[in-house]
Amino acid sequence: MAAALRLIQQHGVDAVALRQVAEQVETGPASLYAYFAGRDELLEHVLDAAYAQVQLIDADDDADGWRAALAATIVNTITTLEQYPGLGSVALGTIPVLPGALRLAEHELALMEAGGVPAGRAALAVDLIAQFAASSALERTVRSSGNRGEGERAHVQTAYEHADPERFPRIRQHAALLTTPNEQARRDFAIRVLIDGIDGSPS
């Protein structure tokens, strides 16, 4: 797992194959097939190893402490997945059943239970949180690989500012507002909206 995670950090998930991992641990691919049926199964275990690295945040004694703890745990999940470019795509394509993912889901469920979130809603929330974390990490990977940065932001704002005023008056009027928030602001807003929806009693 450690060798595969190092390869993903260096080259991205698309470049990782059983043969490369075998070379890293100085064995042959046949040895790895004794443990994994193929690349997809290997990547599921690698994803779980990443989930096991996520720092879980406990709630304080405040009545709303579970919200802050859940938000911080979600941020830590995204941050961990971002360390391994493309691993978010594996998360989006699998239903996790391994210990690392179960540890994370158990913690989220415990926080929501402490906050009085009904069990049915909490169960749905675990799935939604996993999707959000994976897609957020994947988006960061895609955007980083394109070397877009501030140049893209300026390009988008200019396009919005020059949009057809008859068809898109609000886009034109709010061009700066639509393009000013940075990635952290967008992420934090999304997490607040997500938790407000889970809670059912917006702050």
Side-chain angles (χ1 to χ4, degrees), residues 66-187:
W66 72 274
R67 295 171 63 96
L70 183 57
T73 299
I74 294 171
V75 169
N76 289 347
T77 305
I78 296 170
T79 302
T80 299
L81 291 176
E82 285 178 348
Q83 295 176 32
Y84 306 105
L87 197 56
S89 64
V90 178
L92 289 172
T94 62
I95 299 176
V97 296
L98 298 174
L102 297 184
R103 162 185 171 268
L104 183 57
E106 178 71 20
H107 184 71
E108 294 166 352
L109 288 169
L111 290 174
M112 288 184 279
E113 181 180 276
V117 177
R121 183 180 294 176
L124 290 170
V126 167
D127 182 58
L128 182 59
I129 289 169
Q131 290 183 46
F132 172 73
S135 60
S136 295
L138 185 59
E139 179 190 34
R140 178 70 176 271
T141 298
V142 172
R143 293 176 68 85
S144 296
S145 66
N147 297 316
R148 296 169 179 174
E150 291 302 316
E152 182 191 34
R153 189 186 303 275
H155 169 73
V156 172
Q157 182 170 339
T158 299
Y160 287 175
E161 288 171 343
H162 293 85
D164 185 335
E166 295 295 326
R167 298 177 62 196
F168 312 113
R170 294 168 187 81
I171 296 293
R172 186 179 177 115
Q173 178 183 357
H174 301 304
L177 292 175
L178 290 166
T179 56
T180 297
N182 59 26
E183 289 184 2
Q184 181 176 335
R186 292 172 60 239
R187 181 200 67 196

